[in-house]
Amino acid sequence: MTLIEKINQDFLIAYKGKEIELVSVLRMLKSAITNKQIADKKELNDEDVVAVIKREIKQRKDSAAEYEKHGRTDLFDKEMSEVLLLEKYLPTQLSDEELETIVAQKITETGAVGMKDMGKVISSVMAVTKGTADGAKISEITKKLLLS
């Protein structure tokens, strides 16, 4: 079962079960996926769908940060609960230790010696992790290892 099929199936189950928040989140996600398919003029594979989900999560986290800054805890809580619902559709994320091992290996493979090589390392790590690691976390670990 593809990720799109899983999302559609969960949407129908949530709709029949009158799970209002989940229906709303999945409806927005389905819309974002459809928009991406139209923009790319192709059917999306699971990797493309994961990228759409990550973009949706990032948008909600950014909104939540703004709401928190302005004291809107009600809206902050709503955005963060939507993030939790969306994260269920992401592949299992690598632990910090696993990610650190991969980054160290890629630093060795690419011959990176300083911060000027950070982009080269990050791109090779991203190619290997394919959605199982957060870009910010990869950047943070790469920077830590290159500076040590």
Side-chain angles (χ1 to χ4, degrees), residues 85-119:
L85 292 172
L86 288 170
E87 285 178 340
K88 292 177 185 173
Y89 295 97
L90 291 178
T92 305
Q93 300 294 295
L94 294 171
S95 70
D96 287 355
E97 294 79 27
E98 293 170 318
L99 192 54
E100 203 165 305
T101 303
I102 292 170
V103 171
Q105 177 186 359
K106 291 300 175 184
I107 288 173
T108 305
E109 285 178 15
T110 59
V113 290
M115 292 302 291
K116 64 180 172 44
D117 297 322
M118 188 168 169

PDB file of all heavy atoms in Angstrom, residues 85-119:
ATOM      1  N   LEU A  85      -0.279  14.543  14.478  1.00  0.00           N
ATOM      2  CA  LEU A  85      -1.068  13.715  13.564  1.00  0.00           C
ATOM      3  C   LEU A  85      -0.319  13.479  12.259  1.00  0.00           C
ATOM      4  O   LEU A  85      -0.333  12.369  11.720  1.00  0.00           O
ATOM      5  CB  LEU A  85      -2.423  14.369  13.285  1.00  0.00           C
ATOM      6  CG  LEU A  85      -3.392  14.428  14.462  1.00  0.00           C
ATOM      7  CD1 LEU A  85      -4.616  15.261  14.101  1.00  0.00           C
ATOM      8  CD2 LEU A  85      -3.805  13.031  14.902  1.00  0.00           C
ATOM      9  N   LEU A  86       0.342  14.505  11.742  1.00  0.00           N
ATOM     10  CA  LEU A  86       1.078  14.376  10.478  1.00  0.00           C
ATOM     11  C   LEU A  86       2.324  13.507  10.622  1.00  0.00           C
ATOM     12  O   LEU A  86       2.693  12.774   9.707  1.00  0.00           O
ATOM     13  CB  LEU A  86       1.461  15.758   9.949  1.00  0.00           C
ATOM     14  CG  LEU A  86       0.321  16.601   9.390  1.00  0.00           C
ATOM     15  CD1 LEU A  86       0.791  18.027   9.131  1.00  0.00           C
ATOM     16  CD2 LEU A  86      -0.229  15.980   8.122  1.00  0.00           C
ATOM     17  N   GLU A  87       2.980  13.596  11.775  1.00  0.00           N
ATOM     18  CA  GLU A  87       4.220  12.834  11.977  1.00  0.00           C
ATOM     19  C   GLU A  87       3.991  11.326  11.919  1.00  0.00           C
ATOM     20  O   GLU A  87       4.920  10.574  11.642  1.00  0.00           O
ATOM     21  CB  GLU A  87       4.879  13.225  13.300  1.00  0.00           C
ATOM     22  CG  GLU A  87       5.565  14.570  13.233  1.00  0.00           C
ATOM     23  CD  GLU A  87       6.179  15.018  14.542  1.00  0.00           C
ATOM     24  OE1 GLU A  87       5.772  14.501  15.620  1.00  0.00           O
ATOM     25  OE2 GLU A  87       7.048  15.901  14.497  1.00  0.00           O
ATOM     26  N   LYS A  88       2.754  10.890  12.135  1.00  0.00           N
ATOM     27  CA  LYS A  88       2.451   9.459  12.060  1.00  0.00           C
ATOM     28  C   LYS A  88       2.657   8.906  10.653  1.00  0.00           C
ATOM     29  O   LYS A  88       2.802   7.702  10.471  1.00  0.00           O
ATOM     30  CB  LYS A  88       1.006   9.201  12.502  1.00  0.00           C
ATOM     31  CG  LYS A  88       0.773   9.460  13.960  1.00  0.00           C
ATOM     32  CD  LYS A  88      -0.683   9.256  14.317  1.00  0.00           C
ATOM     33  CE  LYS A  88      -0.930   9.628  15.764  1.00  0.00           C
ATOM     34  NZ  LYS A  88      -2.352   9.599  16.087  1.00  0.00           N
ATOM     35  N   TYR A  89       2.671   9.780   9.648  1.00  0.00           N
ATOM     36  CA  TYR A  89       2.816   9.338   8.263  1.00  0.00           C
ATOM     37  C   TYR A  89       4.257   9.413   7.766  1.00  0.00           C
ATOM     38  O   TYR A  89       4.532   9.084   6.619  1.00  0.00           O
ATOM     39  CB  TYR A  89       1.888  10.148   7.351  1.00  0.00           C
ATOM     40  CG  TYR A  89       0.448   9.877   7.689  1.00  0.00           C
ATOM     41  CD1 TYR A  89      -0.265  10.716   8.515  1.00  0.00           C
ATOM     42  CD2 TYR A  89      -0.175   8.732   7.209  1.00  0.00           C
ATOM     43  CE1 TYR A  89      -1.579  10.431   8.863  1.00  0.00           C
ATOM     44  CE2 TYR A  89      -1.482   8.446   7.545  1.00  0.00           C
ATOM     45  CZ  TYR A  89      -2.180   9.296   8.374  1.00  0.00           C
ATOM     46  OH  TYR A  89      -3.475   9.010   8.720  1.00  0.00           O
ATOM     47  N   LEU A  90       5.167   9.843   8.625  1.00  0.00           N
ATOM     48  CA  LEU A  90       6.583   9.885   8.256  1.00  0.00           C
ATOM     49  C   LEU A  90       7.233   8.542   8.569  1.00  0.00           C
ATOM     50  O   LEU A  90       6.821   7.847   9.498  1.00  0.00           O
ATOM     51  CB  LEU A  90       7.310  10.988   9.045  1.00  0.00           C
ATOM     52  CG  LEU A  90       6.955  12.419   8.701  1.00  0.00           C
ATOM     53  CD1 LEU A  90       7.720  13.373   9.607  1.00  0.00           C
ATOM     54  CD2 LEU A  90       7.253  12.726   7.253  1.00  0.00           C
ATOM     55  N   PRO A  91       8.263   8.193   7.819  1.00  0.00           N
ATOM     56  CA  PRO A  91       8.992   6.961   8.166  1.00  0.00           C
ATOM     57  C   PRO A  91       9.667   7.127   9.528  1.00  0.00           C
ATOM     58  O   PRO A  91       9.889   8.254   9.983  1.00  0.00           O
ATOM     59  CB  PRO A  91      10.036   6.832   7.056  1.00  0.00           C
ATOM     60  CG  PRO A  91       9.986   8.077   6.262  1.00  0.00           C
ATOM     61  CD  PRO A  91       8.792   8.864   6.668  1.00  0.00           C
ATOM     62  N   THR A  92       9.983   6.018  10.163  1.00  0.00           N
ATOM     63  CA  THR A  92      10.646   6.059  11.459  1.00  0.00           C
ATOM     64  C   THR A  92      11.937   6.855  11.333  1.00  0.00           C
ATOM     65  O   THR A  92      12.750   6.615  10.447  1.00  0.00           O
ATOM     66  CB  THR A  92      10.966   4.633  11.944  1.00  0.00           C
ATOM     67  OG1 THR A  92       9.751   3.883  11.943  1.00  0.00           O
ATOM     68  CG2 THR A  92      11.561   4.650  13.331  1.00  0.00           C
ATOM     69  N   GLN A  93      12.094   7.821  12.233  1.00  0.00           N
ATOM     70  CA  GLN A  93      13.249   8.705  12.184  1.00  0.00           C
ATOM     71  C   GLN A  93      14.465   8.047  12.842  1.00  0.00           C
ATOM     72  O   GLN A  93      14.332   7.297  13.807  1.00  0.00           O
ATOM     73  CB  GLN A  93      12.930  10.031  12.897  1.00  0.00           C
ATOM     74  CG  GLN A  93      11.764  10.792  12.273  1.00  0.00           C
ATOM     75  CD  GLN A  93      12.071  11.282  10.876  1.00  0.00           C
ATOM     76  OE1 GLN A  93      12.928  12.111  10.688  1.00  0.00           O
ATOM     77  NE2 GLN A  93      11.375  10.733   9.886  1.00  0.00           N
ATOM     78  N   LEU A  94      15.632   8.342  12.296  1.00  0.00           N
ATOM     79  CA  LEU A  94      16.884   7.821  12.852  1.00  0.00           C
ATOM     80  C   LEU A  94      17.165   8.482  14.200  1.00  0.00           C
ATOM     81  O   LEU A  94      16.860   9.656  14.402  1.00  0.00           O
ATOM     82  CB  LEU A  94      18.050   8.118  11.905  1.00  0.00           C
ATOM     83  CG  LEU A  94      18.038   7.424  10.551  1.00  0.00           C
ATOM     84  CD1 LEU A  94      19.126   8.001   9.661  1.00  0.00           C
ATOM     85  CD2 LEU A  94      18.217   5.935  10.712  1.00  0.00           C
ATOM     86  N   SER A  95      17.777   7.728  15.096  1.00  0.00           N
ATOM     87  CA  SER A  95      18.172   8.306  16.380  1.00  0.00           C
ATOM     88  C   SER A  95      19.387   9.212  16.162  1.00  0.00           C
ATOM     89  O   SER A  95      20.057   9.139  15.124  1.00  0.00           O
ATOM     90  CB  SER A  95      18.533   7.194  17.371  1.00  0.00           C
ATOM     91  OG  SER A  95      19.740   6.565  16.977  1.00  0.00           O
ATOM     92  N   ASP A  96      19.681  10.047  17.139  1.00  0.00           N
ATOM     93  CA  ASP A  96      20.833  10.941  17.038  1.00  0.00           C
ATOM     94  C   ASP A  96      22.133  10.150  16.878  1.00  0.00           C
ATOM     95  O   ASP A  96      23.023  10.554  16.134  1.00  0.00           O
ATOM     96  CB  ASP A  96      20.924  11.846  18.267  1.00  0.00           C
ATOM     97  CG  ASP A  96      19.856  12.935  18.272  1.00  0.00           C
ATOM     98  OD1 ASP A  96      19.113  13.041  17.269  1.00  0.00           O
ATOM     99  OD2 ASP A  96      19.767  13.675  19.276  1.00  0.00           O
ATOM    100  N   GLU A  97      22.228   9.015  17.582  1.00  0.00           N
ATOM    101  CA  GLU A  97      23.439   8.203  17.512  1.00  0.00           C
ATOM    102  C   GLU A  97      23.620   7.610  16.108  1.00  0.00           C
ATOM    103  O   GLU A  97      24.720   7.626  15.549  1.00  0.00           O
ATOM    104  CB  GLU A  97      23.409   7.070  18.554  1.00  0.00           C
ATOM    105  CG  GLU A  97      23.448   7.534  20.001  1.00  0.00           C
ATOM    106  CD  GLU A  97      22.084   8.036  20.509  1.00  0.00           C
ATOM    107  OE1 GLU A  97      21.033   7.584  19.988  1.00  0.00           O
ATOM    108  OE2 GLU A  97      22.078   8.894  21.396  1.00  0.00           O
ATOM    109  N   GLU A  98      22.519   7.098  15.536  1.00  0.00           N
ATOM    110  CA  GLU A  98      22.598   6.524  14.190  1.00  0.00           C
ATOM    111  C   GLU A  98      22.965   7.600  13.172  1.00  0.00           C
ATOM    112  O   GLU A  98      23.789   7.382  12.288  1.00  0.00           O
ATOM    113  CB  GLU A  98      21.251   5.904  13.799  1.00  0.00           C
ATOM    114  CG  GLU A  98      20.864   4.680  14.609  1.00  0.00           C
ATOM    115  CD  GLU A  98      19.429   4.253  14.367  1.00  0.00           C
ATOM    116  OE1 GLU A  98      18.538   5.117  14.296  1.00  0.00           O
ATOM    117  OE2 GLU A  98      19.212   3.035  14.249  1.00  0.00           O
ATOM    118  N   LEU A  99      22.366   8.754  13.343  1.00  0.00           N
ATOM    119  CA  LEU A  99      22.627   9.859  12.429  1.00  0.00           C
ATOM    120  C   LEU A  99      24.063  10.344  12.557  1.00  0.00           C
ATOM    121  O   LEU A  99      24.726  10.627  11.553  1.00  0.00           O
ATOM    122  CB  LEU A  99      21.640  10.999  12.704  1.00  0.00           C
ATOM    123  CG  LEU A  99      21.561  12.111  11.685  1.00  0.00           C
ATOM    124  CD1 LEU A  99      21.295  11.559  10.291  1.00  0.00           C
ATOM    125  CD2 LEU A  99      20.467  13.082  12.065  1.00  0.00           C
ATOM    126  N   GLU A 100      24.555  10.404  13.779  1.00  0.00           N
ATOM    127  CA  GLU A 100      25.940  10.825  14.001  1.00  0.00           C
ATOM    128  C   GLU A 100      26.918   9.859  13.328  1.00  0.00           C
ATOM    129  O   GLU A 100      27.916  10.288  12.741  1.00  0.00           O
ATOM    130  CB  GLU A 100      26.212  10.907  15.511  1.00  0.00           C
ATOM    131  CG  GLU A 100      27.357  11.820  15.853  1.00  0.00           C
ATOM    132  CD  GLU A 100      27.376  12.183  17.329  1.00  0.00           C
ATOM    133  OE1 GLU A 100      26.368  12.683  17.849  1.00  0.00           O
ATOM    134  OE2 GLU A 100      28.449  11.974  17.931  1.00  0.00           O
ATOM    135  N   THR A 101      26.626   8.570  13.373  1.00  0.00           N
ATOM    136  CA  THR A 101      27.467   7.560  12.722  1.00  0.00           C
ATOM    137  C   THR A 101      27.487   7.783  11.212  1.00  0.00           C
ATOM    138  O   THR A 101      28.547   7.737  10.578  1.00  0.00           O
ATOM    139  CB  THR A 101      26.946   6.142  13.039  1.00  0.00           C
ATOM    140  OG1 THR A 101      26.910   5.971  14.450  1.00  0.00           O
ATOM    141  CG2 THR A 101      27.820   5.082  12.414  1.00  0.00           C
ATOM    142  N   ILE A 102      26.319   8.032  10.627  1.00  0.00           N
ATOM    143  CA  ILE A 102      26.228   8.254   9.177  1.00  0.00           C
ATOM    144  C   ILE A 102      26.987   9.515   8.789  1.00  0.00           C
ATOM    145  O   ILE A 102      27.739   9.528   7.811  1.00  0.00           O
ATOM    146  CB  ILE A 102      24.749   8.337   8.732  1.00  0.00           C
ATOM    147  CG1 ILE A 102      24.083   6.981   8.895  1.00  0.00           C
ATOM    148  CG2 ILE A 102      24.640   8.822   7.289  1.00  0.00           C
ATOM    149  CD1 ILE A 102      22.578   6.997   8.724  1.00  0.00           C
ATOM    150  N   VAL A 103      26.812  10.590   9.567  1.00  0.00           N
ATOM    151  CA  VAL A 103      27.496  11.854   9.264  1.00  0.00           C
ATOM    152  C   VAL A 103      29.009  11.673   9.351  1.00  0.00           C
ATOM    153  O   VAL A 103      29.742  12.121   8.462  1.00  0.00           O
ATOM    154  CB  VAL A 103      27.017  12.984  10.204  1.00  0.00           C
ATOM    155  CG1 VAL A 103      27.880  14.223  10.046  1.00  0.00           C
ATOM    156  CG2 VAL A 103      25.551  13.322   9.936  1.00  0.00           C
ATOM    157  N   ALA A 104      29.474  10.992  10.388  1.00  0.00           N
ATOM    158  CA  ALA A 104      30.919  10.754  10.540  1.00  0.00           C
ATOM    159  C   ALA A 104      31.457   9.958   9.351  1.00  0.00           C
ATOM    160  O   ALA A 104      32.538  10.265   8.823  1.00  0.00           O
ATOM    161  CB  ALA A 104      31.190  10.025  11.848  1.00  0.00           C
ATOM    162  N   GLN A 105      30.694   8.969   8.913  1.00  0.00           N
ATOM    163  CA  GLN A 105      31.102   8.160   7.767  1.00  0.00           C
ATOM    164  C   GLN A 105      31.180   9.021   6.505  1.00  0.00           C
ATOM    165  O   GLN A 105      32.136   8.923   5.726  1.00  0.00           O
ATOM    166  CB  GLN A 105      30.101   7.016   7.570  1.00  0.00           C
ATOM    167  CG  GLN A 105      30.380   6.142   6.379  1.00  0.00           C
ATOM    168  CD  GLN A 105      29.265   5.120   6.154  1.00  0.00           C
ATOM    169  OE1 GLN A 105      28.302   5.054   6.902  1.00  0.00           O
ATOM    170  NE2 GLN A 105      29.421   4.326   5.113  1.00  0.00           N
ATOM    171  N   LYS A 106      30.203   9.894   6.300  1.00  0.00           N
ATOM    172  CA  LYS A 106      30.173  10.747   5.105  1.00  0.00           C
ATOM    173  C   LYS A 106      31.269  11.807   5.152  1.00  0.00           C
ATOM    174  O   LYS A 106      31.804  12.195   4.110  1.00  0.00           O
ATOM    175  CB  LYS A 106      28.800  11.407   4.925  1.00  0.00           C
ATOM    176  CG  LYS A 106      27.717  10.415   4.549  1.00  0.00           C
ATOM    177  CD  LYS A 106      28.057   9.721   3.249  1.00  0.00           C
ATOM    178  CE  LYS A 106      27.097   8.642   2.885  1.00  0.00           C
ATOM    179  NZ  LYS A 106      27.471   7.920   1.685  1.00  0.00           N
ATOM    180  N   ILE A 107      31.624  12.274   6.337  1.00  0.00           N
ATOM    181  CA  ILE A 107      32.740  13.227   6.469  1.00  0.00           C
ATOM    182  C   ILE A 107      34.027  12.549   5.997  1.00  0.00           C
ATOM    183  O   ILE A 107      34.817  13.129   5.253  1.00  0.00           O
ATOM    184  CB  ILE A 107      32.867  13.745   7.924  1.00  0.00           C
ATOM    185  CG1 ILE A 107      31.716  14.705   8.232  1.00  0.00           C
ATOM    186  CG2 ILE A 107      34.216  14.421   8.156  1.00  0.00           C
ATOM    187  CD1 ILE A 107      31.639  15.152   9.681  1.00  0.00           C
ATOM    188  N   THR A 108      34.211  11.303   6.413  1.00  0.00           N
ATOM    189  CA  THR A 108      35.392  10.546   6.003  1.00  0.00           C
ATOM    190  C   THR A 108      35.383  10.293   4.501  1.00  0.00           C
ATOM    191  O   THR A 108      36.395  10.504   3.816  1.00  0.00           O
ATOM    192  CB  THR A 108      35.457   9.201   6.760  1.00  0.00           C
ATOM    193  OG1 THR A 108      35.409   9.462   8.157  1.00  0.00           O
ATOM    194  CG2 THR A 108      36.720   8.448   6.422  1.00  0.00           C
ATOM    195  N   GLU A 109      34.230   9.852   3.968  1.00  0.00           N
ATOM    196  CA  GLU A 109      34.123   9.538   2.536  1.00  0.00           C
ATOM    197  C   GLU A 109      34.362  10.752   1.646  1.00  0.00           C
ATOM    198  O   GLU A 109      34.991  10.639   0.597  1.00  0.00           O
ATOM    199  CB  GLU A 109      32.739   8.963   2.216  1.00  0.00           C
ATOM    200  CG  GLU A 109      32.543   7.542   2.658  1.00  0.00           C
ATOM    201  CD  GLU A 109      31.133   7.037   2.364  1.00  0.00           C
ATOM    202  OE1 GLU A 109      30.399   7.673   1.577  1.00  0.00           O
ATOM    203  OE2 GLU A 109      30.767   5.994   2.939  1.00  0.00           O
ATOM    204  N   THR A 110      33.833  11.907   2.063  1.00  0.00           N
ATOM    205  CA  THR A 110      33.961  13.109   1.231  1.00  0.00           C
ATOM    206  C   THR A 110      35.279  13.835   1.470  1.00  0.00           C
ATOM    207  O   THR A 110      35.619  14.742   0.713  1.00  0.00           O
ATOM    208  CB  THR A 110      32.797  14.095   1.492  1.00  0.00           C
ATOM    209  OG1 THR A 110      32.804  14.471   2.868  1.00  0.00           O
ATOM    210  CG2 THR A 110      31.469  13.493   1.097  1.00  0.00           C
ATOM    211  N   GLY A 111      35.993  13.466   2.524  1.00  0.00           N
ATOM    212  CA  GLY A 111      37.258  14.121   2.830  1.00  0.00           C
ATOM    213  C   GLY A 111      37.064  15.527   3.365  1.00  0.00           C
ATOM    214  O   GLY A 111      37.950  16.382   3.234  1.00  0.00           O
ATOM    215  N   ALA A 112      35.917  15.779   3.977  1.00  0.00           N
ATOM    216  CA  ALA A 112      35.616  17.104   4.519  1.00  0.00           C
ATOM    217  C   ALA A 112      36.565  17.435   5.671  1.00  0.00           C
ATOM    218  O   ALA A 112      36.849  16.585   6.507  1.00  0.00           O
ATOM    219  CB  ALA A 112      34.170  17.162   5.003  1.00  0.00           C
ATOM    220  N   VAL A 113      37.063  18.686   5.655  1.00  0.00           N
ATOM    221  CA  VAL A 113      38.008  19.086   6.697  1.00  0.00           C
ATOM    222  C   VAL A 113      37.542  20.300   7.490  1.00  0.00           C
ATOM    223  O   VAL A 113      38.101  20.605   8.528  1.00  0.00           O
ATOM    224  CB  VAL A 113      39.403  19.378   6.100  1.00  0.00           C
ATOM    225  CG1 VAL A 113      40.059  18.093   5.632  1.00  0.00           C
ATOM    226  CG2 VAL A 113      39.329  20.386   4.989  1.00  0.00           C
ATOM    227  N   GLY A 114      36.545  20.995   7.029  1.00  0.00           N
ATOM    228  CA  GLY A 114      36.088  22.180   7.752  1.00  0.00           C
ATOM    229  C   GLY A 114      34.688  22.578   7.334  1.00  0.00           C
ATOM    230  O   GLY A 114      34.021  21.890   6.559  1.00  0.00           O
ATOM    231  N   MET A 115      34.272  23.730   7.830  1.00  0.00           N
ATOM    232  CA  MET A 115      32.920  24.207   7.578  1.00  0.00           C
ATOM    233  C   MET A 115      32.656  24.470   6.094  1.00  0.00           C
ATOM    234  O   MET A 115      31.526  24.404   5.652  1.00  0.00           O
ATOM    235  CB  MET A 115      32.643  25.484   8.392  1.00  0.00           C
ATOM    236  CG  MET A 115      32.569  25.241   9.894  1.00  0.00           C
ATOM    237  SD  MET A 115      31.311  24.038  10.350  1.00  0.00           S
ATOM    238  CE  MET A 115      29.833  24.946   9.965  1.00  0.00           C
ATOM    239  N   LYS A 116      33.710  24.728   5.338  1.00  0.00           N
ATOM    240  CA  LYS A 116      33.511  24.993   3.899  1.00  0.00           C
ATOM    241  C   LYS A 116      33.006  23.755   3.165  1.00  0.00           C
ATOM    242  O   LYS A 116      32.413  23.850   2.098  1.00  0.00           O
ATOM    243  CB  LYS A 116      34.795  25.514   3.265  1.00  0.00           C
ATOM    244  CG  LYS A 116      35.957  24.537   3.269  1.00  0.00           C
ATOM    245  CD  LYS A 116      37.178  25.139   2.619  1.00  0.00           C
ATOM    246  CE  LYS A 116      38.417  24.332   2.740  1.00  0.00           C
ATOM    247  NZ  LYS A 116      38.378  22.933   2.531  1.00  0.00           N
ATOM    248  N   ASP A 117      33.191  22.584   3.765  1.00  0.00           N
ATOM    249  CA  ASP A 117      32.743  21.325   3.158  1.00  0.00           C
ATOM    250  C   ASP A 117      31.397  20.858   3.705  1.00  0.00           C
ATOM    251  O   ASP A 117      30.935  19.756   3.374  1.00  0.00           O
ATOM    252  CB  ASP A 117      33.788  20.226   3.407  1.00  0.00           C
ATOM    253  CG  ASP A 117      35.120  20.545   2.756  1.00  0.00           C
ATOM    254  OD1 ASP A 117      35.106  21.090   1.636  1.00  0.00           O
ATOM    255  OD2 ASP A 117      36.164  20.252   3.367  1.00  0.00           O
ATOM    256  N   MET A 118      30.744  21.678   4.511  1.00  0.00           N
ATOM    257  CA  MET A 118      29.505  21.276   5.175  1.00  0.00           C
ATOM    258  C   MET A 118      28.412  20.902   4.166  1.00  0.00           C
ATOM    259  O   MET A 118      27.714  19.898   4.332  1.00  0.00           O
ATOM    260  CB  MET A 118      29.012  22.383   6.100  1.00  0.00           C
ATOM    261  CG  MET A 118      27.856  21.982   6.958  1.00  0.00           C
ATOM    262  SD  MET A 118      27.583  23.226   8.228  1.00  0.00           S
ATOM    263  CE  MET A 118      26.023  22.697   8.861  1.00  0.00           C
ATOM    264  N   GLY A 119      28.250  21.686   3.125  1.00  0.00           N
ATOM    265  CA  GLY A 119      27.215  21.421   2.128  1.00  0.00           C
ATOM    266  C   GLY A 119      27.398  20.082   1.440  1.00  0.00           C
ATOM    267  O   GLY A 119      26.441  19.350   1.188  1.00  0.00           O
TER     268      GLY A 119
END
